[in-house]
Amino acid sequence: MLTDRDLPEPWRVRAAPISQGDATQLDAVAGLHTTADDPVSWDLIENTESGRRVMLRMGMDDTGIAVTGVYVPGPASIGIGELRGLPLAAIEAAVRSRRARAGALVQAAIMAGPDLHEGPLGRPDGPDDATFFARLAMRYVRVAESSAKPATDLAKAEGVTPRTVQRWTARARELNLLPPGRPGRHT
């Protein structure tokens, strides 16, 4: 299912996902057979500048979540230039990133245990101290929600240098406990 955050400007979600009955009909027209167990959604998006509406079928392929179908509701036809301008790669990347963040945070929360926010972090017992790095990931995410400089603010709270927090968060990312950071930024 798409959200407005998954779409670049000027695109917006108009219906996500469409009803199961409508999705089944679209799949049938496209020659696709899906069951209730298939992780598929049809989402209606609109370019707010041109008014163009497009339905995207989001499903799974060998690389993960992907656009597996495109339907352009009529009555106007779509030209090849307009079709090329659909931001499909950007949408796939945004959805994959959102799913990676969610998966990493769930894993970190489970590994951190019930006392993930209690007491000082301390130091890791080694590079594979999963409980430490999971607790760090959860605290980092909590600080990042309200801070432009989460590594600096977390470092102050824990009594370590920002570089130490940066090294720790890099290791947490390697352990898939934090999603990838933004390129070119120290976070």
Side-chain angles (χ1 to χ4, degrees):
M1 177 177 2
L2 294 176
T3 68
D4 282 338
R5 290 175 142 180
D6 298 327
L7 304 176
E9 289 291 335
W11 292 90
R12 291 288 169 257
V13 173
R14 290 298 172 222
I18 66 170
S19 74
Q20 186 60 45
D22 291 342
T24 301
Q25 286 180 350
L26 278 172
D27 280 352
V29 167
L32 303 169
H33 175 72
T34 55
T35 66
D37 296 332
D38 292 333
V40 171
S41 72
W42 278 97
D43 303 285
L44 178 64
I45 64 172
E46 179 181 53
N47 182 313
T48 59
E49 292 174 355
S50 69
R52 169 61 73 189
R53 288 185 170 204
V54 177
M55 296 183 80
L56 299 180
R57 182 180 192 266
M58 303 302 294
M60 300 297 282
D61 70 4
D62 294 340
T63 61
I65 192 127
V67 175
T68 57
V70 176
Y71 174 75
V72 181
S77 63
I78 187 169
I80 192 69
E82 190 179 2
L83 190 58
R84 281 187 186 134
L86 293 177
L88 303 180
I91 292 169
E92 284 181 350
V95 172
R96 286 179 181 156
S97 176
R98 179 169 46 93
R99 287 177 54 104
R101 279 192 309 272
L105 295 179
V106 167
Q107 181 179 351
I110 291 169
M111 292 176 69
D115 63 343
L116 60 125
H117 296 299
E118 294 179 20
L121 277 173
R123 303 259 179 199
D125 289 332
D128 296 323
D129 186 349
T131 302
F132 171 84
F133 289 107
R135 290 180 68 218
L136 167 81
M138 297 308 297
R139 289 189 189 189
Y140 181 85
V141 168
R142 188 179 66 192
V143 171
E145 289 173 353
S146 61
S147 172
K149 297 180 179 182
T152 301
D153 293 343
L154 185 57
K156 287 178 188 173
E158 296 298 327
V160 296
T161 67
R163 182 65 191 129
T164 297
V165 171
Q166 290 166 355
R167 278 196 320 274
W168 288 347
T169 56
R171 182 62 184 146
R173 286 184 171 94
E174 289 171 0
L175 295 171
N176 294 318
L177 298 170
L178 276 174
R182 287 186 259 173
R185 290 184 50 114
H186 292 286
T187 58

